[in-house]
Amino acid sequence: EPRLETERFGRNYHFHTSLPSSNITAKELARQGALEGTVVLTEEQTAGRGRLGRGWYSPPGLGIYMSLIMRPRIPLGQTPQVTLLASVAVCKALEAVTAVRPQIKWPNDILVNGKKLCGILTELNAEMEAVNYLVVGIGINLNQQPADFPGDVANVATSAAIAGGEPVDRIRFLTTLLSFFEADYDHWLQNGFGQLREEWLARAAGMGTTVRIIAGKQEWLGQAEGIDTDGALLVRNEDGELQRLISGEVSLRPE
Ligand code: ATP
């Protein structure tokens, strides 16, 4: 039997058989004062969301759809690092529990063989230049088979069972993920972004390749070169200038 081995993450949890979106429920709990580490878990989402208003397909029983409440005392400029932290924790859990060898697509997707296995949606609530709470939503495809994805998603999605060749024990995966996430979070709070940056870069997809940057109506091509000590993506544009991208409204496409 897998056991929860964390001190805070997942010690308070709210389980639902169905929710519109675990992030919406977690934000409501956070507004009511829920403690750091509180987890909202749902068997399905009927209106799961990705970034920029996109949908996240969340069929019952096959994936993990969870949101974690965090209350780090950090400058607002460091909050994008939380998505990178969550990405690394998801990768470590996949590496520990499955045969899947994942890659991270900046800022918020986990890919296997170029297809999306997990999406992360971090939402910030700040008051007077200080973090009030962060809600980190994590949707992971674990036991879907190809036929479980609707047509438009099937082209871009994969699951741990598809990529790893065998089904995954969801509880074991979840307890492992929470352990890595809590340990990495504590390390980050105490020591900063340095080691996490190395762990992120070791799994990064698309570094050294040409990517299309999409920021609202603007689009341009550049060479992805890495992330800086704050977690901003470094892209060299066609004039040879290095640009820093913050995750907010920016999307990347391979070219
Ligand atoms: P970006 O590159 O900006 O992150 P994105 O298209 O990857 O853009 P996300 O918010 O990360 O956007 O994820 C939403 C997209 O992921 C949807 O538009 C859909 O194409 C795809 N998608 C939806 N549900 C799933 C799922 N369960 N597994 C994999 N991919 C999904």
Side-chain angles (χ1 to χ4, degrees):
E1 268 294 281
R3 292 176 59 91
L4 185 62
E5 286 170 346
T6 55
E7 279 181 9
R8 286 138 34 243
F9 286 20
R11 287 291 159 193
N12 291 301
Y13 78 96
H14 298 254
F15 177 77
H16 296 263
T17 51
S18 181
L19 284 178
S21 148
S22 61
N23 266 28
I24 290 176
T25 299
K27 285 190 285 185
E28 181 61 32
L29 289 165
R31 274 194 292 277
Q32 294 165 4
L35 295 178
E36 174 163 270
T38 299
V39 163
V40 173
L41 196 60
T42 184
E43 280 286 295
E44 74 166 342
Q45 297 185 110
T46 55
R49 287 168 311 129
R51 295 194 315 146
L52 310 171
R54 295 175 181 127
W56 188 262
Y57 178 66
S58 313
L62 299 175
I64 287 180
Y65 318 110
M66 62 162 272
S67 298
L68 176 77
I69 296 170
M70 298 172 116
R71 300 184 183 277
R73 297 164 199 273
I74 54 166
L76 289 186
Q78 287 170 22
T79 55
Q81 293 170 18
V82 170
T83 300
L84 308 184
L85 182 72
S87 309
V88 169
V90 169
C91 287
K92 288 180 178 176
L94 286 166
E95 290 159 7
V97 171
T98 77
V100 171
R101 294 299 164 256
Q103 285 200 302
I104 307 172
K105 175 176 168 278
W106 187 93
N108 70 321
D109 292 328
I110 310 294
L111 308 180
V112 187
N113 306 322
K115 291 189 160 185
K116 209 183 299 195
L117 188 140
C118 166
I120 296 168
L121 179 65
T122 303
E123 297 187 77
L124 166 68
N125 181 281
E127 275 168 30
M128 315 235 287
E129 296 299 303
V131 176
N132 182 18
Y133 59 80
L134 285 161
V135 164
V136 182
I138 302 180
I140 308 175
N141 303 325
L142 287 182
N143 290 328
Q144 285 91 341
Q145 291 301 319
D148 293 316
F149 295 114
D152 55 327
V153 176
N155 298 324
V156 297
T158 189
S159 72
I162 295 168
E166 58 184 13
V168 180
D169 180 332
R170 287 188 301 155
I171 304 298
R172 175 152 180 251
F173 185 86
L174 180 63
T175 54
T176 305
L177 172 60
L178 290 171
S179 290
F180 281 121
F181 202 175
E182 182 178 275
D184 287 355
Y185 176 65
D186 288 343
H187 183 92
W188 173 70
L189 286 176
Q190 282 179 19
N191 307 293
F193 188 57
Q195 184 186 325
L196 178 64
R197 178 172 172 273
E198 298 301 321
E199 293 179 331
W200 191 94
L201 283 169
R203 298 173 174 86
M207 294 304 146
T209 71
T210 301
V211 292
R212 176 176 298 275
I213 317 296
I214 306 169
K217 295 218 160 78
Q218 287 192 343
E219 289 196 21
W220 47 281
L221 296 181
Q223 185 92 359
E225 295 203 346
I227 53 174
D228 71 7
T229 53
D230 290 327
L233 185 71
L234 298 171
V235 179
R236 196 169 296 280
N237 68 19
E238 286 173 320
D239 297 328
E241 296 158 347
L242 203 54
Q243 309 226 333
R244 287 180 81 243
L245 304 182
I246 315 290
S247 56
E249 303 279 286
V250 180
S251 292
L252 292 194
R253 298 281 175 274
E255 263 293 304

